[in-house]
Amino acid sequence: MALNIEVHEGLRRPADLVKLAEAVVAGKDEDEADWIEWKSALDLTTPEGAFSLARQILGSANRHPDHAARFMAGLGYVLVGVEPGSVEGVTLIDLARLDAALDKYLGNPGPVWAGIFVEVQGKDVLVVTVESPRWGDRFYPLAKTFQSEKGKPGADAGTVFVRRQARTLPAGPGELQMLQDRLLRGQQPEQSLDLDVEWPADPAVLTPLDLSADGINAWIFQRREAVLAIEPPPEEPLPEGTARMQAAMARAIRADPRSREQYEEEVEAHLQKCRKAVPQAILRKVLGQQLNLMNLRVTNPTVRNLPDVELTLQIEGRVLAYDEGEDTEWSLPRPPKAHGTPDMSRLFSGLSPDVPGLASPLSRLLSSSPSVSLKGLRIDIDNGPPVTTVTLQLGDIRPHGVANATPFMLVVAEEPGSTVTLNWSATSTRVDARREGELVVPVADHALAPLDLIPYEIDAP
């Protein structure tokens, strides 16, 4: 479960903190998280109350920076006077007096925090905001021993409190190691990742495709003309003599039962199938030609070895990426037989003209959609939308070494004469840095239309 409140941005304004307190009241006990703690009743004027609040502030300040940053921009919150289902309220206390009481336990310098009283359901509630932990921050131990006068467990000075599974507890060995790493990491010099990403001059430009309705309509028009121009096979002359009558009867039986209107309806149904198949046929055709094959090259200009380099490309616009291993087979639906073609199946009763096994083996391929994501050891392609992402694993790049990325193809439907921008970022497992850049590739002035790629003619039977 989670509180019903937006957690992607930190809350600081009083009105937002009221909403946070109201979300706690409307929530459940199990909604408590590492970034928030609440106490229904706490007397802030007593040492017990001051220690309890200081303990929560220390735990929030001693969190892992990256883990804390996932919620509320890393801020931590402690609310006093509310809990799920009720508003107990808290006695108002001067914040300067509260600061002095907490300072004994937080130390100086201690964690950075701020407190504010807000009104919830007519009662006063204290909301304490603890600043986000950062890399390079020291860890904050308890500055003063606390011994409860009420027989409750105390805590020795030097105890390091952390947040663990929505509870504030003394740190274990792993958490102490994390806090040490947090301090030391901030003292290390800033690292940089020096890489050069380029592509050879081939292709110098990207060839776009015209997948517009006008382009497909032009192909459909030519296909219709080609189908309607098919002539039925000529009938053999009738023999002389007694066999003439039998041959004439057989010709009559196998005569085309379709009217011209029925035949033209079949042609239109065929063209509708073609309209759905042409875009995929174009895709398979250009992939088979390896159009717009990208061979990226990454160079390490430094004397450092860069292990496990990963290069990620993000491409916006009407651009798809495909691996070299994509299926490139394609076919078009078969046209209807020409009007007047003898129907030989009518000579055989009990047999269907749709004999099993005669269907094109490519029918399943034609009805499937082209792949939009292909994952492998060296390349991972995700064709969005809205962004196409290509992730390339380059392995180790030695000092002054060069790595050639796995080739991939771009299918481009951008306007001719425009450009396609490949925004790239590179990382290495041993360098705490990211290198970013962009490759701007021009688009050719002429787009390939369906008529340039897919023949509309009908193969002779």
Side-chain angles (χ1 to χ4, degrees):
M1 299 292 293
L3 293 177
N4 185 22
I5 195 166
E6 176 61 47
V7 297
H8 294 98
E9 296 183 2
L11 306 178
R12 293 184 183 275
R13 298 186 306 169
D16 292 333
L17 298 178
V18 170
K19 293 179 181 178
L20 178 61
E22 291 173 342
V24 170
V25 176
K28 298 181 179 180
D29 290 337
E30 56 266 29
D31 292 340
E32 208 163 34
D34 287 346
W35 58 271
I36 188 170
E37 174 79 16
W38 53 74
K39 298 291 183 183
S40 62
L42 202 62
D43 187 350
L44 299 176
T45 63
T46 65
E48 286 81 2
F51 166 73
S52 179
L53 180 56
R55 181 170 172 267
Q56 303 303 330
I57 294 174
L58 291 171
S60 185
N62 286 331
R63 291 176 297 155
H64 189 292
D66 291 345
H67 295 172
R70 295 177 300 173
F71 306 100
M72 295 298 185
L75 296 176
Y77 298 91
V78 185
L79 285 75
V80 182
V82 294
E83 67 178 354
S86 69
V87 181
E88 191 75 20
V90 66
T91 301
L92 289 176
I93 181 175
D94 184 76
L95 290 177
R97 178 184 172 189
L98 178 62
D99 183 34
L102 295 178
D103 191 56
K104 301 175 183 178
Y105 301 106
L106 298 179
N108 192 8
V112 179
W113 64 278
I116 183 174
F117 287 98
V118 298
E119 185 175 317
V120 180
Q121 297 182 8
K123 297 182 180 180
D124 296 311
V125 172
L126 175 65
V127 181
V128 172
T129 303
V130 184
E131 285 302 315
S132 311
R134 307 292 184 189
W135 291 110
D137 286 354
R138 56 184 288 267
F139 63 88
Y140 300 101
L142 183 65
K144 179 184 178 182
T145 296
F146 170 74
Q147 184 62 48
S148 174
E149 297 178 355
K150 299 180 180 180
K152 295 183 179 180
D156 294 330
T159 302
V160 178
F161 291 103
V162 295
R163 292 288 289 169
R164 186 193 308 158
Q165 297 178 350
R167 300 173 61 196
T168 300
L169 301 169
E175 291 151 333
L176 291 174
Q177 181 65 52
M178 178 275 291
L179 290 170
Q180 182 179 5
D181 293 341
R182 186 178 81 173
L183 172 64
L184 295 177
R185 181 168 167 179
Q187 297 175 346
Q188 295 174 353
E190 184 176 352
Q191 294 183 322
S192 63
L193 179 62
D194 296 321
L195 283 175
D196 296 324
V197 179
E198 58 183 349
W199 87 95
D202 185 18
V205 296
L206 295 172
T207 301
L209 302 179
D210 177 9
L211 300 178
S212 65
D214 289 343
I216 295 178
N217 287 338
W219 187 94
I220 293 293
F221 177 82
Q222 295 293 344
R223 181 73 168 188
R224 179 183 289 107
E225 296 295 309
V227 173
L228 293 175
I230 300 175
E231 295 288 342
E235 290 278 8
E236 295 182 359
L238 293 174
E240 299 294 334
T242 58
R244 184 181 181 86
M245 182 175 293
Q246 293 180 346
M249 291 178 61
R251 177 179 294 186
I253 293 174
R254 68 175 184 263
D256 191 345
R258 302 170 298 172
S259 66
R260 181 68 186 184
E261 183 180 16
Q262 289 173 326
Y263 165 67
E264 291 179 354
E265 290 177 354
E266 289 184 0
V267 172
E268 292 306 314
H270 163 73
L271 295 175
Q272 290 303 315
K273 293 179 181 178
C274 286
R275 186 180 295 277
K276 295 179 180 179
V278 163
Q280 186 178 165
I282 292 174
L283 173 65
R284 300 294 170 87
K285 183 68 176 289
V286 299
L287 293 180
Q289 295 176 347
Q290 294 198 332
L291 187 71
N292 301 331
L293 184 66
M294 304 296 291
N295 293 284
L296 296 182
R297 183 170 56 204
V298 181
T299 303
N300 175 10
T302 72
V303 295
R304 293 186 298 169
N305 181 58
L306 299 177
D308 295 331
V309 175
E310 180 180 273
L311 178 67
T312 300
L313 307 168
Q314 291 197 318
I315 313 165
E316 296 185 0
R318 295 193 297 166
V319 181
L320 300 179
Y322 289 90
D323 181 76
E324 283 187 300
E326 283 286 339
D327 191 349
T328 59
E329 292 187 48
W330 63 274
S331 180
L332 293 175
R334 290 181 178 180
K337 294 179 180 180
H339 187 241
T341 301
D343 186 357
M344 302 302 294
S345 65
R346 302 183 71 198
L347 293 174
F348 308 95
S349 61
L351 288 181
S352 168
D354 298 325
V355 181
L358 295 183
S360 167
L362 296 178
S363 60
R364 179 180 58 83
L365 177 64
L366 289 169
S367 64
S368 63
S369 300
S371 170
V372 297
S373 180
L374 181 138
K375 297 184 178 181
L377 180 63
R378 308 290 296 179
I379 185 170
D380 183 344
I381 295 175
D382 183 2
N383 280 322
V387 177
T388 289
T389 303
V390 181
T391 304
L392 300 159
Q393 305 297 334
L394 304 177
D396 299 348
I397 307 181
R398 297 180 180 277
H400 299 293
V402 177
N404 293 312
T406 300
F408 60 94
M409 290 166 282
L410 293 182
V411 177
V412 181
E414 289 292 300
E415 290 295 325
S418 61
T419 59
V420 170
T421 300
L422 287 71
N423 294 297
W424 61 264
S425 62
T427 57
S428 171
T429 54
R430 291 188 185 174
V431 181
D432 293 327
R434 177 190 297 269
R435 179 82 168 184
E436 297 179 341
E438 65 177 28
L439 299 173
V440 180
V441 190
V443 177
D445 294 331
H446 174 72
L448 292 178
L451 287 172
D452 299 322
L453 295 164
I454 305 299
Y456 59 83
E457 300 90 346
I458 307 300
D459 293 335

